[in-house]
Amino acid sequence: LQGDTMQQYQGFRLEQYTVYPNSPGGGIDTGFNPIFRYKAPKPDEPLPTLANGTEAPDFLLKTLDGTKADLRSFRGKVVLVDFFYRSCYPCMLAIPGLQEMHHRWHDSGLVVLGVNPFDTAGTVLKRFLSGRGVTYPILIDADKSVVNTWKVRAYPTLYLIDRRGNIRYNQIGYSKETEEGIRAKVKELLEEAAP
């Protein structure tokens, strides 16, 4: 997967295949005949994440407009980091709620940052996000160094960082219930005194 850090859970398993190496005419036939079977679901195993209570690793990434954003520069604010990419359906479901939180609490000290390790900072991505009303900063992690450091294995992955720069909450995936959990945690952290 060319350095992709995602762990995907597939619904099927390749059980048998046949390769036909020689064609009747003496050439090589690359025929491949796979047999797939439905794979029973595995017991839920939590994916590894950075631990709550630890200091968030710093990063310096370019935004869509070419400026640079340094995580450490947001000390004193509550930061919600969303690891996402454009063709991730659950990521797109999460965007309206993230935008609403950004709009509602930006003046109260919340910073929402989208980190994208797969899409390039071109007009397609800008137009795509603009069409969805996204106004919070989007950062491009072109070499995937940040997603590797932050142990991102599925998308979306969200981390909530307090005013002192410590991770206080993390969430893998998206649903209306998880959005409510993030929203409640944001409120709690915004009410904490600044360092």
Side-chain angles (χ1 to χ4, degrees):
L1 293 175
Q2 299 176 346
D4 188 347
T5 60
M6 290 184 292
Q7 293 180 4
Q8 300 288 3
Y9 295 96
Q10 304 298 329
F12 294 87
R13 178 178 63 223
L14 176 64
E15 287 196 341
Q16 178 183 343
Y17 65 90
T18 306
V19 176
Y20 303 98
N22 299 314
S23 68
I28 294 184
D29 179 4
T30 57
F32 176 67
N33 182 25
I35 298 174
F36 292 97
R37 298 272 187 257
Y38 181 73
K39 182 172 69 175
K42 291 182 178 180
D44 289 337
E45 297 175 10
L47 294 174
T49 58
L50 296 177
N52 291 334
T54 61
E55 184 176 353
D58 192 25
F59 56 71
L60 177 66
L61 293 173
K62 282 189 177 180
T63 66
L64 283 181
D65 62 11
T67 62
K68 291 186 178 179
D70 178 6
L71 180 64
R72 195 175 304 276
S73 68
F74 298 112
R75 286 285 168 91
K77 296 185 179 291
V78 174
V79 182
L80 178 55
V81 182
D82 169 39
F83 290 93
F84 81 104
Y85 62 100
R86 184 168 58 96
S87 58
C88 163
Y89 181 66
C91 299
M92 296 304 102
L93 292 178
I95 282 179
L98 296 172
Q99 177 60 38
E100 193 275 330
M101 284 184 259
H102 166 72
H103 178 74
R104 182 174 182 181
W105 289 311
H106 179 72
D107 292 341
S108 300
L110 175 67
V111 175
V112 178
L113 299 174
V115 177
N116 187 318
F118 294 107
D119 301 306
T120 58
T123 56
V124 172
L125 183 59
K126 288 180 184 177
R127 189 167 46 245
F128 181 84
L129 294 169
S130 175
R132 282 153 182 78
V134 174
T135 60
Y136 53 86
I138 302 298
L139 315 175
I140 303 299
D141 183 21
D143 64 359
K144 299 181 177 60
S145 60
V146 175
V147 296
N148 286 321
T149 301
W150 284 63
K151 297 185 178 179
V152 176
R153 300 292 183 265
Y155 295 83
T157 293
L158 298 108
Y159 282 97
L160 192 55
I161 303 162
D162 67 17
R163 297 178 190 272
R164 293 173 177 81
N166 295 318
I167 296 168
R168 296 284 292 277
Y169 183 83
N170 62 69
Q171 175 64 52
I172 296 174
Y174 168 81
S175 69
K176 282 295 181 186
E177 292 75 21
T178 59
E179 182 180 307
E180 288 307 313
I182 292 169
R183 193 179 300 272
K185 199 67 178 177
V186 166
K187 287 181 191 176
E188 177 186 322
L189 294 185
L190 286 173
E191 289 170 2
E192 289 183 357

